[in-house]
Amino acid sequence: MQFIGSVLLFLSAVGTLCLMIAAVRLWRIGHVRPVEARHDAVTILKPLYGAEPQLLANLSTFLQQDHAGEIQLICGVHSRTDPAVSVVEALQTLYPQADIVLTVESSARGTNAKVSNLIAMVAHARHPVLILSDSDMAVRANYLATVTAALAAPGVGAVTCLYHGRGDAGGWSKLAAMGISQHFLPSVLLGTALGLATPCMGSTIALRRTTLDAIGGLDAFADLLADDYAIGNAVRQRGKTVALPNLLLTHACTEASLAALVRQELRWNRTITQLDPMGFIGSIVLHPLPLSLLGATLSRLWLIATAILMAALLARTAIALLVDRTTGNRTAPLLWIAPRDLLSFVLFFWTFFGRAVDWRGTAFTVDPTGRLSTHQDNVQ
């Protein structure tokens, strides 16, 4: 037991060092030079489902841009009765001069409802630069300038963006936001710093229409759970890179219960295990706080364990403070850091007990290739 405890303490120390590296990367994001406004004509595609809290304000940020080029915003839903329709109509009233299009398409083009929605929306796109962005994102005024500048760089085929969490539905949503800001974000920063991660995220996928056509269009991704990652991988297979500019978007978290938080994070975790199982297993080191607690209990090296535990807590606190400073928004009380770390640790292990994911009320099973199937499909 003492040997196992010593190993856990070692892993905790490694994880603490990793968090420090991520903190340095995060500090650099807050110290970047502004980008000049560009003239690229862009079409932003927003697949919507339901009237999420702050949806009107979040969508508005994509129109409030320091961007000299034309902006077309396409919002898509599957049903005219979707509550998001009234939000888009309010947006059109609020910005009467803006090019805002609402599409309604009930027919499914694949198992992935979001991609099916996007396929219907692309047909209405007027501009050569397309930006796919999830409905729960909010951006700053330099968003389009930064993204289009990154896309214009030599050898770049697509652009994706980092994001932090913001709780919009009470305490549980703030806990969910902590998971994004203090766990997911550092892991991506660390992975890219060490060359271990090649992200392409639903927060933003900007690419030229010609690039999308070259990788087979969106139909090629209509049955995949990790459609965003697959799009990025397809771009790289054509010899292009996926740029990750120093830009931090806002992910609006709407989880109103512990059950909703667990469903969401298990879906994310199981998506990652499908893409990079060994990488996900290795990410256990990014839970240094609970590892140090377990290590202290088993090894009884109390002095060493206490030092590692305090260092882990300081590293996680530093990341929390850096995110809050960079975004100008307090994610959650700092006293929640330790409980949130323990919850993340539990969900890490829970991930391995099943392959089912819950996506907007529908239960799916993911096969080893990353393709989605519903419970009814499995029965048939």
Side-chain angles (χ1 to χ4, degrees):
M1 284 297 181
Q2 186 169 4
F3 173 75
I4 295 175
S6 299
V7 170
L8 292 176
L9 289 177
F10 173 75
L11 292 177
S12 179
V14 171
T16 299
L17 178 61
C18 290
L19 291 183
M20 291 177 178
I21 295 173
V24 172
R25 294 285 316 272
L26 187 56
W27 179 84
R28 291 176 179 172
I29 291 178
H31 295 78
V32 295
R33 295 180 180 179
V35 178
E36 294 183 2
R38 294 179 55 84
H39 293 79
D40 307 76
V42 302
T43 293
I44 303 171
L45 306 177
K46 281 284 182 181
L48 305 181
Y49 180 84
E52 302 164 350
Q54 305 298 320
L55 179 59
L56 179 60
N58 295 338
L59 292 175
S60 295
T61 64
F62 286 83
L63 300 172
Q64 300 163 352
Q65 292 294 306
D66 295 332
H67 185 70
E70 292 184 59
I71 302 173
Q72 179 191 29
L73 178 64
I74 303 180
C75 300
V77 295
H78 289 292
S79 170
R80 176 62 66 175
T81 61
D82 192 308
V85 171
S86 61
V87 177
V88 177
E89 291 172 345
L91 187 71
Q92 291 171 325
T93 301
L94 192 60
Y95 297 93
Q97 303 304 317
D99 184 2
I100 304 172
V101 178
L102 172 65
T103 66
V104 182
E105 180 56 65
S106 58
S107 60
R109 301 288 291 272
T111 313
N112 188 318
K114 184 187 78 171
V115 176
S116 180
N117 199 352
L118 286 167
I119 292 171
M121 297 160 65
V122 166
H124 299 268
R126 296 196 301 108
H127 301 309
V129 174
L130 305 176
I131 299 179
L132 288 57
S133 178
D134 289 345
S135 62
D136 47 16
M137 290 292 154
V139 297
R140 295 188 178 185
N142 65 338
Y143 168 73
L144 285 181
T146 304
V147 169
T148 54
L151 187 61
V156 173
V159 178
T160 194
C161 291
L162 298 165
Y163 53 93
H164 72 99
R166 184 192 70 202
D168 288 349
W172 291 115
S173 68
K174 290 183 182 295
L175 271 176
M178 291 177 73
I180 294 173
S181 297
Q182 300 168 21
H183 293 259
F184 170 76
L185 176 58
S187 71
V188 177
L189 289 169
L190 177 70
T192 54
L194 300 179
L196 301 175
T198 53
C200 187
M201 298 168 284
S203 57
T204 289
I205 304 176
L207 71 174
R208 296 173 183 84
R209 181 64 177 266
T210 53
T211 302
L212 181 61
D213 292 339
I215 62 175
L218 290 170
D219 293 88
F221 313 98
D223 293 316
L224 299 179
L225 172 62
D227 54 279
D228 42 11
Y229 178 85
I231 291 172
N233 194 40
V235 169
R236 294 187 188 95
Q237 288 178 352
R238 297 194 63 83
K240 299 291 185 178
T241 62
V242 178
L244 186 69
N246 285 326
L247 186 67
L248 202 57
L249 312 189
T250 298
H251 180 286
C253 300
T254 60
E255 292 82 357
S257 66
L258 175 60
L261 185 158
V262 169
R263 286 194 299 268
Q264 177 76 300
E265 296 200 13
L266 284 178
R267 179 169 70 85
W268 286 343
N269 287 354
R270 286 171 179 165
T271 299
I272 296 171
T273 57
Q274 290 293 327
L275 302 175
D276 184 13
M278 295 309 298
F280 183 79
I281 292 172
S283 71
I284 191 173
V285 301
L286 296 180
H287 300 273
L289 192 60
L291 285 176
S292 64
L293 291 173
L294 284 175
T297 303
L298 295 176
S299 70
R300 305 205 178 266
L301 300 173
W302 300 111
L303 186 60
I304 296 175
T306 300
I308 295 175
L309 187 150
M310 293 304 298
L313 187 58
L314 285 173
R316 189 72 79 189
T317 302
I319 287 175
L321 292 175
L322 283 168
V323 171
D324 292 350
R325 189 196 66 174
T326 302
T327 63
N329 177 65
R330 174 57 61 86
T331 305
L334 296 179
L335 291 176
W336 291 13
I337 289 178
R340 172 68 242 202
D341 272 37
L342 295 176
L343 174 60
S344 295
F345 195 58
V346 170
L347 293 177
F348 173 84
F349 285 101
W350 195 342
T351 301
F352 299 102
F353 294 92
R355 289 192 305 170
V357 297
D358 183 281
W359 197 354
R360 289 178 169 174
T362 301
F364 293 93
T365 298
V366 187
D367 70 18
T369 68
R371 294 190 176 275
L372 290 167
S373 61
T374 63
H375 177 69
Q376 288 182 338
D377 294 333
N378 295 330
V379 172
Q380 294 172 354

